[in-house]
PDB file of all heavy atoms in Angstrom:
ATOM      1  N   ARG U 305     197.294 102.711 277.364  1.00  0.00           N
ATOM      2  CA  ARG U 305     196.911 104.056 277.309  1.00  0.00           C
ATOM      3  C   ARG U 305     195.775 104.163 276.286  1.00  0.00           C
ATOM      4  O   ARG U 305     195.854 103.621 275.202  1.00  0.00           O
ATOM      5  CB  ARG U 305     198.059 104.991 276.855  1.00  0.00           C
ATOM      6  CG  ARG U 305     197.758 106.486 276.872  1.00  0.00           C
ATOM      7  CD  ARG U 305     198.820 107.265 276.122  1.00  0.00           C
ATOM      8  NE  ARG U 305     198.841 106.870 274.700  1.00  0.00           N
ATOM      9  CZ  ARG U 305     198.182 107.506 273.717  1.00  0.00           C
ATOM     10  NH1 ARG U 305     197.409 108.453 273.941  1.00  0.00           N
ATOM     11  NH2 ARG U 305     198.263 107.022 272.434  1.00  0.00           N
ATOM     12  N   LEU U 306     194.791 104.994 276.632  1.00  0.00           N
ATOM     13  CA  LEU U 306     193.647 105.192 275.682  1.00  0.00           C
ATOM     14  C   LEU U 306     193.353 106.697 275.603  1.00  0.00           C
ATOM     15  O   LEU U 306     193.163 107.322 276.589  1.00  0.00           O
ATOM     16  CB  LEU U 306     192.389 104.429 276.250  1.00  0.00           C
ATOM     17  CG  LEU U 306     191.056 104.779 275.603  1.00  0.00           C
ATOM     18  CD1 LEU U 306     190.984 104.515 274.128  1.00  0.00           C
ATOM     19  CD2 LEU U 306     189.902 104.097 276.340  1.00  0.00           C
ATOM     20  N   GLU U 307     193.288 107.194 274.337  1.00  0.00           N
ATOM     21  CA  GLU U 307     192.949 108.557 274.228  1.00  0.00           C
ATOM     22  C   GLU U 307     191.828 108.683 273.186  1.00  0.00           C
ATOM     23  O   GLU U 307     191.913 108.071 272.062  1.00  0.00           O
ATOM     24  CB  GLU U 307     194.167 109.348 273.670  1.00  0.00           C
ATOM     25  CG  GLU U 307     193.935 110.865 273.536  1.00  0.00           C
ATOM     26  CD  GLU U 307     195.031 111.647 272.913  1.00  0.00           C
ATOM     27  OE1 GLU U 307     196.163 110.958 272.676  1.00  0.00           O
ATOM     28  OE2 GLU U 307     194.922 112.820 272.639  1.00  0.00           O
ATOM     29  N   THR U 308     190.783 109.479 273.500  1.00  0.00           N
ATOM     30  CA  THR U 308     189.751 109.713 272.540  1.00  0.00           C
ATOM     31  C   THR U 308     190.160 110.908 271.696  1.00  0.00           C
ATOM     32  O   THR U 308     190.271 111.996 272.219  1.00  0.00           O
ATOM     33  CB  THR U 308     188.413 109.959 273.260  1.00  0.00           C
ATOM     34  OG1 THR U 308     188.086 108.846 274.006  1.00  0.00           O
ATOM     35  CG2 THR U 308     187.350 110.321 272.251  1.00  0.00           C
ATOM     36  N   LEU U 309     190.362 110.642 270.436  1.00  0.00           N
ATOM     37  CA  LEU U 309     190.755 111.751 269.481  1.00  0.00           C
ATOM     38  C   LEU U 309     189.575 112.574 269.047  1.00  0.00           C
ATOM     39  O   LEU U 309     189.697 113.695 268.789  1.00  0.00           O
ATOM     40  CB  LEU U 309     191.551 111.200 268.277  1.00  0.00           C
ATOM     41  CG  LEU U 309     192.889 110.436 268.604  1.00  0.00           C
ATOM     42  CD1 LEU U 309     193.363 109.822 267.392  1.00  0.00           C
ATOM     43  CD2 LEU U 309     193.859 111.358 269.232  1.00  0.00           C
ATOM     44  N   ASN U 310     188.437 111.869 268.911  1.00  0.00           N
ATOM     45  CA  ASN U 310     187.230 112.628 268.519  1.00  0.00           C
ATOM     46  C   ASN U 310     186.035 111.623 268.891  1.00  0.00           C
ATOM     47  O   ASN U 310     186.063 110.448 268.603  1.00  0.00           O
ATOM     48  CB  ASN U 310     187.176 112.827 266.996  1.00  0.00           C
ATOM     49  CG  ASN U 310     186.668 114.196 266.674  1.00  0.00           C
ATOM     50  OD1 ASN U 310     185.922 114.780 267.505  1.00  0.00           O
ATOM     51  ND2 ASN U 310     187.001 114.716 265.529  1.00  0.00           N
ATOM     52  N   ALA U 311     184.982 112.283 269.540  1.00  0.00           N
ATOM     53  CA  ALA U 311     183.773 111.538 269.791  1.00  0.00           C
ATOM     54  C   ALA U 311     182.952 111.370 268.480  1.00  0.00           C
ATOM     55  O   ALA U 311     183.332 112.040 267.473  1.00  0.00           O
ATOM     56  CB  ALA U 311     182.974 112.245 270.878  1.00  0.00           C
ATOM     57  N   ALA U 312     181.902 110.584 268.450  1.00  0.00           N
ATOM     58  CA  ALA U 312     181.086 110.423 267.335  1.00  0.00           C
ATOM     59  C   ALA U 312     179.682 110.337 267.742  1.00  0.00           C
ATOM     60  O   ALA U 312     179.348 109.561 268.651  1.00  0.00           O
ATOM     61  CB  ALA U 312     181.551 109.163 266.491  1.00  0.00           C
ATOM     62  N   LYS U 313     178.824 111.063 267.043  1.00  0.00           N
ATOM     63  CA  LYS U 313     177.381 110.846 267.245  1.00  0.00           C
ATOM     64  C   LYS U 313     176.975 109.525 266.598  1.00  0.00           C
ATOM     65  O   LYS U 313     177.746 108.971 265.783  1.00  0.00           O
ATOM     66  CB  LYS U 313     176.617 111.945 266.506  1.00  0.00           C
ATOM     67  CG  LYS U 313     176.813 113.359 267.132  1.00  0.00           C
ATOM     68  CD  LYS U 313     175.699 114.288 266.832  1.00  0.00           C
ATOM     69  CE  LYS U 313     175.639 114.665 265.336  1.00  0.00           C
ATOM     70  NZ  LYS U 313     174.728 115.820 265.058  1.00  0.00           N
ATOM     71  N   LEU U 314     175.860 109.079 267.037  1.00  0.00           N
ATOM     72  CA  LEU U 314     175.328 107.777 266.438  1.00  0.00           C
ATOM     73  C   LEU U 314     175.171 107.943 264.951  1.00  0.00           C
ATOM     74  O   LEU U 314     174.375 108.886 264.608  1.00  0.00           O
ATOM     75  CB  LEU U 314     174.069 107.304 267.173  1.00  0.00           C
ATOM     76  CG  LEU U 314     173.666 105.897 266.896  1.00  0.00           C
ATOM     77  CD1 LEU U 314     174.549 104.914 267.537  1.00  0.00           C
ATOM     78  CD2 LEU U 314     172.169 105.755 267.294  1.00  0.00           C
TER      79      LEU U 314
END
Side-chain angles (χ1 to χ4, degrees):
Chain U
R305 183 194 63 92
L306 164 64
E307 184 187 355
T308 298
L309 299 173
N310 219 340
K313 294 203 292 195
L314 192 71

